[in-house]
Amino acid sequence: MTETRAGFVALIGEPNAGKSTLLNRMVGAKISIVTHKVQTTRARIRGIAMEGQSQIVFVDTPGLFKPRRRLDRAMVKAAWGGAGDADIVVLMIEAHRGLTEGVQAILDSLGEHTAGRPVLLAINKIDRIEAPMLLALTQKMNAAFPFAETYLISAEKGYGVDDLKKWLAGALPAGPWLYPEDQIADLPMRMIAAEMTREKLTLRLHQELPYELTVETESWEEKTDGSARIEQLIYVQRDGHKGIILGKGGETIKAVSQAARTELETFLGRKVHLFLQVKVRPGWLDEAARYSEIGLNFKDGD
Ligand SMILES: Nc1nc2c(ncn2[C@@H]2O[C@H](COP(=O)(O)OP(=O)(O)OP(=O)(O)O)[C@@H](O)[C@H]2O)c(=O)[nH]1
Ligand SMILES: [Mg+2]
């Protein structure tokens, strides 16, 4: 029998690079929410994938950007913390955007956060550009940082993902698996459920609103008929936001609730009764409890 390997692989990069999309593809299930908007992921999310005798624990992280608010600072701190704890770090960039200012800012402190551990470059969204441009970008990136390897991938279409997974599996330290073989996620189910609702809200709401709300699972009751009864709270900052989320005649929240419920039912493989309530809480962005509920450290926002 070949020896077992296990370890942590952190996925880092600018917001929208495709980190969560890659994690979901590697794991083979939707564990981390994905939207076309920046700053979707707010905390570290662990997804577990098996490759041969290796167990790869992927750590999805919030995007790295110039933080403005307390929440932003806590998110960026969580992202760098993920890189600091990992055996291997994968920096994801977008092929069509190339070496942006934001990517350069990441490169500037990458060495300090990853000292001694391999850093891979994954150029994502290669489905969006012509092949010849990839060679120049690969060279430019490798001149800017000593990456152990470069992979050209499309997390969405799946191109190059298996090769990347195989390389990671072979490079992790030898040792026993960290999770049961059939486990695919390491975060509480009520958190996954809250994230699903936040994804549907983010997809429907415009401009700043997605960044001004948070979702928490208040109660989770297992019914005797095998279904789950889940109550969630959506915290917003202002009265006006509540109205927008409810929508005319409650149609927006109804659509959100329906979409989130359908996804939850698929994930859990059983019936779900989902109840959403919107609460106006002007100071939620400065409340420690709101941070711990979504897996962030409040002090990181100082
Ligand atoms: N065309 C294309 N789109 C992709 C690819 N991978 C991801 N996307 C899209 O890019 C957008 C952002 O994807 P996410 O996975 O949410 O990105 P992220 O890096 O997790 O973003 P944050 O959580 O905000 O940091 C979504 O609309 C994805 O569907 C890809 O390979 N090709
Ligand atoms: Mg994400």
Side-chain angles (χ1 to χ4, degrees):
M1 203 178 101
T2 43
E3 64 183 344
T4 59
R5 294 177 180 275
F8 294 91
V9 174
L11 307 175
I12 66 163
E14 281 194 280
N16 232 26
K19 303 176 292 294
S20 303
T21 305
L22 182 63
L23 173 115
N24 292 338
R25 182 165 282 281
M26 288 292 191
V27 171
K30 183 155 159 197
I31 288 167
S32 196
I33 63 170
V34 170
T35 79
H36 57 286
K37 299 195 176 159
V38 297
Q39 297 165 36
T40 297
T41 306
R42 285 186 175 163
R44 282 179 298 228
I45 295 184
R46 284 181 185 172
I48 304 145
M50 298 296 304
E51 175 68 38
Q53 290 294 100
S54 296
Q55 184 174 62
I56 316 172
V57 184
F58 286 97
V59 184
D60 186 15
T61 66
L64 293 162
F65 60 102
K66 218 170 167 184
R68 288 180 298 126
R69 310 174 300 173
R70 179 175 197 113
L71 177 65
D72 302 342
R73 287 193 294 275
M75 283 162 55
V76 168
K77 203 73 176 274
W80 279 125
D85 293 342
D87 297 290
I88 302 171
V89 174
V90 177
L91 172 65
M92 288 182 76
I93 68 166
E94 290 170 279
H96 59 289
R97 294 184 66 230
L99 208 178
T100 60
E101 232 174 82
V103 169
Q104 185 58 55
I106 295 171
L107 293 176
D108 290 342
S109 56
L110 192 54
E112 160 200 337
H113 285 98
T114 57
R117 283 153 312 131
V119 183
L120 268 63
L121 173 66
I123 301 180
N124 189 33
K125 309 194 185 182
I126 58 165
D127 54 294
R128 294 194 54 165
I129 70 164
E130 300 294 326
M133 293 173 63
L134 288 168
L135 181 61
L137 179 57
T138 301
Q139 285 169 345
K140 195 159 140 192
M141 288 296 294
N142 279 275
F145 189 88
F147 292 106
E149 297 281 335
T150 298
Y151 281 88
L152 307 177
I153 67 167
S154 169
E156 197 166 83
K157 310 256 187 249
Y159 309 151
V161 171
D162 287 345
D163 289 343
L164 170 59
K165 195 176 186 183
K166 286 203 176 79
W167 190 94
L168 293 168
L172 285 175
W177 294 335
L178 304 163
Y179 293 92
E181 203 176 343
D182 55 356
Q183 189 169 338
I184 57 165
D186 183 11
L187 77 162
M189 209 34 242
R190 55 187 188 81
M191 227 184 252
I192 296 183
E195 285 286 275
M196 284 177 179
T197 299
R198 193 165 63 81
E199 179 189 84
K200 303 311 172 204
L201 286 164
T202 303
L203 290 172
R204 285 202 156 244
L205 302 170
H206 302 295
Q207 288 152 357
E208 286 301 302
L209 201 39
Y211 307 102
E212 309 256 318
L213 62 83
T214 189
V215 182
E216 297 181 7
T217 300
E218 269 295 288
S219 74
W220 185 303
E221 200 188 322
E222 300 292 349
K223 311 291 278 187
T224 46
D225 65 1
S227 66
R229 186 185 193 284
I230 302 168
E231 288 181 357
Q232 294 180 334
L233 280 178
I234 302 164
Y235 288 113
V236 294
Q237 301 242 75
R238 289 190 266 136
D239 253 336
H241 291 166
K242 180 172 176 173
I244 297 170
I245 292 179
L246 294 177
K248 212 191 296 162
E251 64 186 13
T252 304
I253 191 132
K254 207 163 148 195
V256 164
S257 173
Q258 203 161 0
R261 176 175 55 77
T262 305
E263 200 162 299
L264 260 170
E265 287 182 336
T266 306
F267 192 87
L268 294 170
R270 56 207 168 94
K271 203 164 166 50
V272 168
H273 307 276
L274 180 63
F275 299 89
L276 302 181
Q277 198 192 334
V278 188
K279 271 203 172 167
V280 181
R281 198 153 173 135
W284 80 258
L285 276 159
D286 291 302
E287 287 174 29
R290 305 283 79 76
Y291 286 66
S292 54
E293 192 63 35
I294 58 175
L296 283 175
N297 188 348
F298 186 65
K299 287 250 177 298
D300 283 347
D302 286 343

